[in-house]
Amino acid sequence: MALRETIAGFLAAQMDFIFFLYGLAFIFLGAVCFAVARIRGPKSSWIPLGLFGFAHGAGEWLDLSALVVPDTAVFALVRTAVMTASFLFLLEFARQKAIRFGLKPLEGAPLYTALILLVMLGGIVGGVPMAGAFARYGIGFFAAMAAASVFAAHARGLSGTAKGLALVAAGGFALYAAAAGVIVPAAPFWPANVFNHSWFFQVTGIPIQLVRGLLACVLALSVWAIWGQLQTEEISSERYAAYLRRQFIGTLAAVVTILACGWVLTDFLGAAYRRDIQEHAQGDINLIASRFAGETNTVNGMVKALAESPSVLPLLTGGSGQDERRARTALDLGVEASGARLGAILDISGALVAASDQIDDADASKWSAAPWFQKALAGQAGYHFAFDPADRGRYYYASYPVRRDDGSIAGVAFLQKSLDRLDADLRLFVRPYYFVNPDGIVVLTNRPDMMLRALWPLPAEARSTLIRQFGTLDDRAVVEREVKDASWVLFNGEHDLVRRSSIEHSQWSVILAMPSAKIHAGRMLGIVATLLMTMMVLIYFFGREYGIRDRIQMNKRIELQELAQNLRLRATTDPLTGLYNRAKFDESLASEVARSQRYKTPLALIMYDVDHFKQVNDVHGHQTGDDVLVRLSEIVFECIRTTDLLARWGGEEFVILAPGLDGPTAYQAAEKLRAAIEQATFSVVGKITCSFGVTEFSEGDSAATLVARADGALYRAKLRGRNRTELVSRSDSIRGGLASVA
């Protein structure tokens, strides 16, 4: 039993890393699904499954953020909305698969509208918790079961490894339906108020989020393996298949090792911050106690000096009028020097002999039963804190016995000091502190809303007495049980380090609450380091996989090109893009320049290249860069006239020779090309842009000057921010040259 409680306590302290692992697995699932969709095509049903993975993983990381930053109602609503959206994506995946199986499921828009209204109804009736429970019961459970059915149906048509992977995915989704769609956060209705996260943790000692995270890992790995099978079928290479098997094992081993080491690092950093917070808490406790001692020690010393003053004893033993004046003078000096509110001399019956201020007889009659008076009569110094419900004042009483020469007690001297100045000083203290009586009632604090509130549950038999003693009392307990010394408890809804220290010579104690956000922030360093290392490993392994696949595909492409091309074609075309090459362009440019010179016909030249193309190669690989150039060539070729000549100038730079166009017309054509490229999508890369330089043939131009001017216009477009078109005429270039000379 003790071992189970130890494990449960350890796992409860690791919720941030569990949320991180949970979210990471689903985001990896999303990435793999999009990789599968890239093979299957843009309309693949794997895209909704990928969106489910990304959205659900992001939702878990938002739950992780709620442990570090203050959780608000708006933030909770956002997390519920993200979770609901993820379940809708999963349901859409199952719906699209059902259509492919020949079934006729409900139309998407009416179905999703009804489900969203159901979740909103739960939010209106019972707030965010009920909305979240409705989303899990009404969408999450059925969506996960539908996904399980999809993979089970796939398995029936497969054999061998592929069938086993599909069955694993089906089982994973079925178990996830139970873990995420049945065991839900607590909500104010049945069964969410019984079979919820707390119930599962109490029964098993394991957070349900850990179970979900492990299931997410199973789902991600099974879908990843399915993706590998699809890749192998597409490439049809034994070398590639062998590499994928090695990659799967190597990546899995590396990621598991990193996650285990990251967990240890995260826990180590959390423990270090925990120790730091505990030390700060002890330092703050000592600081508050020191300030408190400074406020009371003066009173303690002055009341002793007053009781031992030679002028006080005669007042209690029938001294003269002069003795009485001396005693009153000593009493006034004691009150003034200690900063006390009032002071008095009482005889052994409790009767008032002398006082520094006007005192009601009713007040004086209560002093004989006061603890500090009884203590002084017993021959000891008396110290006592008291709360006055009439004026809501906090007072400190210090008393000392007045002794005769034979040592017997003749009376009692006491001073009463208000704690208002101490209260005003400590209100400037940053962290919340609470002075409490033995029953846990807050009597002094820098949080006004916590004044006269019970920190822990009050005994039923003491409740009425305490209400009479304090008047108005808020008996809603802040913590579940009495704080003894230093413990991590749920304090006002947050996991805080709460320290309690007794005040010297007092029945009061001071309690300090230290928020745990700093601990979670420290642990976040370990989590971020783990994430970065995991991403580096995945990028490395998948980068190698892309490299091998690209090399294999490139070899096949080269073989096909060699079969399709003849010597003349290779002499005039670019082997990558299929466009004319530079040699063919130079030949055509010389011919068109000669024609324009002879017949005075317009001729324009457009030169363009890809913005930030080096980043495409560095991030996605050169094969992806080549794919971008091929796709770019197709887009431009479809947009130009049949009389225009499009050629690859070199690298990512291209030229268009446009006979019959003047400069402004060519500029408009280039602008249309630039817009078309900007709106296009380039598979892995997404979006790219190009910069264009335009010029027109002028009298006296040669092929070289025309190309140089177009290149200068392209350079100007680059300087002015890229993704733009610049037109430079011969007169513009001449003026620019004169300006530079000047």
Side-chain angles (χ1 to χ4, degrees):
M1 190 66 178
L3 177 61
R4 179 180 178 278
E5 291 179 355
T6 301
I7 295 175
F10 171 76
L11 292 177
Q14 307 299 317
M15 288 304 298
D16 49 4
F17 200 89
I18 291 173
F19 279 126
F20 163 69
L21 177 64
Y22 187 1
L24 181 65
F26 269 116
I27 288 176
F28 181 70
L29 171 65
V32 172
C33 288
F34 269 84
V36 176
R38 191 164 59 87
I39 299 173
R40 295 302 193 192
K43 296 184 179 180
S44 169
S45 56
W46 287 90
I47 291 179
L49 185 59
L51 292 174
F52 159 73
F54 284 130
H56 212 63
E60 298 311 318
W61 282 359
L62 288 175
D63 288 340
L64 167 61
S65 301
L67 298 175
V68 182
V69 300
D71 194 7
T72 63
V74 174
F75 193 27
L77 181 63
V78 169
R79 301 202 307 276
T80 301
V82 172
M83 177 194 67
T84 304
S86 71
F87 287 143
L88 292 175
F89 287 133
L90 183 59
L91 189 60
E92 175 63 13
F93 162 73
R95 198 184 71 84
Q96 290 187 13
K97 284 293 185 182
I99 294 174
R100 283 175 170 76
F101 289 153
L103 302 177
K104 294 183 178 180
L106 295 175
E107 288 294 328
L111 174 63
Y112 301 144
T113 301
L115 292 174
I116 292 172
L117 289 176
L118 174 67
V119 175
M120 293 176 63
L121 177 63
I124 294 172
V125 174
V128 175
M130 185 174 287
F134 275 26
R136 290 181 180 275
Y137 286 141
I139 308 176
F141 175 78
F142 294 104
M145 289 302 297
S149 301
V150 166
F151 282 99
H154 270 301
R156 287 198 296 268
L158 301 174
S159 61
T161 303
K163 182 174 184 177
L165 292 172
L167 288 175
V168 169
F173 271 112
L175 291 174
Y176 192 76
V182 176
I183 311 300
V184 304
F189 68 95
W190 191 90
N193 58 354
V194 177
F195 303 106
N196 49 43
H197 291 180
S198 300
W199 168 82
F200 187 85
F201 185 71
Q202 290 172 2
V203 172
T204 65
I206 300 173
I208 189 63
Q209 291 84 357
L210 178 59
V211 177
R212 294 174 186 165
L214 294 176
L215 289 173
C217 292
V218 171
L219 291 173
L221 292 175
S222 59
V223 174
W224 181 22
I226 292 173
W227 170 79
Q229 290 285 98
L230 295 174
Q231 286 284 85
T232 302
E233 294 173 4
E234 181 193 23
I235 302 300
S236 299
S237 168
E238 184 58 35
R239 175 191 170 197
Y240 182 68
Y243 174 76
L244 279 184
R245 288 191 291 270
R246 293 194 303 271
Q247 181 205 40
F248 185 88
I249 297 173
T251 306
L252 182 61
V255 170
V256 169
T257 302
I258 290 173
L259 290 175
C261 294
W263 199 329
V264 172
L265 174 64
T266 300
D267 201 48
F268 171 79
L269 292 174
Y273 276 91
R274 184 184 295 265
R275 288 192 299 270
D276 182 62
I277 287 179
Q278 290 172 341
E279 292 174 0
H280 274 80
Q282 185 59 53
D284 289 344
I285 283 281
N286 293 339
L287 178 63
I288 293 174
S290 174
R291 177 66 183 85
F292 207 94
E295 192 76 12
T296 59
N297 284 345
T298 304
V299 180
N300 298 340
M302 287 306 302
V303 77
K304 180 180 178 183
L306 178 63
E308 294 176 348
S309 172
S311 59
V312 171
L313 181 60
L315 186 64
L316 292 166
T317 56
S320 63
Q322 185 176 3
D323 292 331
E324 182 178 354
R325 287 192 296 274
R326 290 175 179 173
R328 289 185 178 277
T329 300
L331 185 60
D332 291 339
L333 288 174
V335 170
E336 182 179 358
S338 63
R341 178 172 175 265
L342 58 85
I345 307 296
L346 308 176
D347 63 17
I348 57 175
S349 67
L352 182 64
V353 176
S356 64
D357 202 352
Q358 296 295 327
I359 298 176
D360 294 337
D361 292 338
D363 291 336
S365 64
K366 294 185 292 186
W367 289 339
S368 60
W372 51 266
F373 181 77
Q374 297 298 327
K375 197 113 182 232
L377 284 183
Q380 301 176 5
Y383 310 104
H384 186 72
F385 291 91
F387 176 84
D388 189 344
D391 61 2
R392 301 179 66 85
R394 284 68 53 93
Y395 301 105
Y396 174 68
Y397 292 85
S399 62
Y400 205 82
V402 180
R403 297 182 183 273
R404 297 185 179 90
D405 294 337
D406 60 1
S408 62
I409 298 175
V412 174
F414 87 91
L415 295 173
Q416 181 203 68
K417 185 170 186 177
S418 172
L419 298 179
D420 289 345
R421 190 175 71 175
L422 174 67
D423 183 25
D425 289 348
L426 291 181
R427 283 181 183 273
L428 302 177
F429 200 70
V430 176
R431 277 179 279 276
Y433 73 87
Y434 311 93
F435 285 94
V436 298
N437 76 338
D439 298 294
I441 305 298
V442 178
V443 292
L444 188 66
T445 179
N446 58 350
R447 298 295 186 267
D449 58 308
M450 294 291 290
M451 188 63 186
L452 296 184
R453 183 170 180 181
L455 287 189
W456 49 81
L458 299 175
E461 61 275 9
R463 191 182 303 270
S464 58
T465 302
L466 291 171
I467 291 176
R468 286 195 303 271
Q469 179 182 349
F470 290 98
T472 304
L473 189 65
D474 186 352
D475 59 356
R476 295 174 301 158
V478 178
V479 297
E480 293 181 351
R481 59 183 63 88
E482 181 179 354
V483 177
K484 295 296 184 182
D485 180 17
S487 56
W488 290 90
V489 299
L490 193 63
F491 195 91
N492 274 341
E494 298 183 5
H495 290 278
D496 292 351
L497 171 65
V498 178
R499 298 213 64 156
R500 180 182 182 186
S501 180
S502 298
I503 299 174
E504 188 178 7
H505 308 308
S506 169
Q507 78 281 18
W508 284 9
S509 56
V510 61
I511 290 178
L512 189 70
M514 300 286 288
S516 59
K518 189 175 181 181
I519 292 178
H520 287 298
R523 290 175 61 88
M524 281 300 295
L525 295 177
I527 290 174
V528 171
T530 305
L531 175 62
L532 292 177
M533 289 299 297
T534 303
M535 295 302 296
M536 289 174 61
V537 167
L538 292 177
I539 290 172
Y540 169 74
F541 277 104
F542 281 97
R544 287 193 61 190
E545 183 272 329
Y546 275 118
I548 290 177
R549 185 186 63 185
D550 289 346
R551 283 196 294 272
I552 293 173
Q553 290 179 329
M554 184 179 294
N555 290 336
K556 290 185 176 182
R557 183 182 301 165
I558 291 174
E559 291 174 2
L560 292 174
Q561 287 175 345
E562 289 176 350
L563 291 174
Q565 292 177 340
N566 54 36
L567 291 175
R568 184 175 179 279
L569 188 62
R570 289 199 299 270
T572 59
T573 60
D574 174 62
L576 174 64
T577 62
L579 303 178
Y580 286 121
N581 59 17
R582 185 166 178 175
K584 175 64 176 177
F585 170 78
D586 289 342
E587 177 183 345
S588 299
L589 177 62
S591 175
E592 291 297 334
V593 167
R595 181 180 291 109
S596 293
Q597 287 177 336
R598 182 174 181 179
Y599 298 108
K600 311 300 180 183
T601 56
L603 174 64
L605 184 62
I606 303 171
M607 183 173 288
Y608 66 95
D609 72 356
V610 181
D611 296 331
H612 303 294
F613 186 71
K614 184 177 183 301
Q615 294 183 10
V616 175
N617 285 331
D618 291 344
V619 174
H620 301 286
H622 288 278
Q623 181 58 45
T624 300
D626 289 348
D627 292 341
V628 168
L629 297 180
V630 172
R631 172 69 175 141
L632 176 64
S633 301
E634 293 171 351
I635 293 172
V636 175
F637 187 81
E638 291 175 358
C639 295
I640 62 176
R641 303 175 303 168
T642 56
T643 56
D644 296 337
L645 186 143
L646 172 62
R648 186 181 180 189
W649 183 255
E652 74 274 18
E653 198 166 4
F654 299 82
V655 290
I656 301 173
L657 189 60
L661 294 185
D662 58 12
T665 307
Y667 175 88
Q668 295 297 325
E671 267 296 282
K672 291 180 181 179
L673 289 176
R674 185 193 60 77
I677 295 168
E678 186 180 23
Q679 295 171 4
T681 300
F682 292 77
S683 64
V684 176
V685 178
K687 298 290 185 178
I688 69 166
T689 59
C690 290
S691 299
F692 287 75
V694 181
T695 190
E696 63 178 344
F697 175 80
S698 298
E699 188 66 26
D701 270 339
S702 64
T705 58
L706 190 63
V707 169
R709 196 159 59 249
D711 187 61
L714 173 59
Y715 182 69
R716 179 185 294 182
K718 292 288 188 181
L719 288 180
R720 292 184 175 180
R722 294 182 171 87
N723 191 24
R724 62 183 291 120
T725 303
E726 291 290 335
L727 170 64
V728 176
S729 64
R730 188 164 185 239
S731 59
D732 291 335
S733 63
I734 293 173
R735 285 195 297 272
L738 293 174
S740 62
V741 171

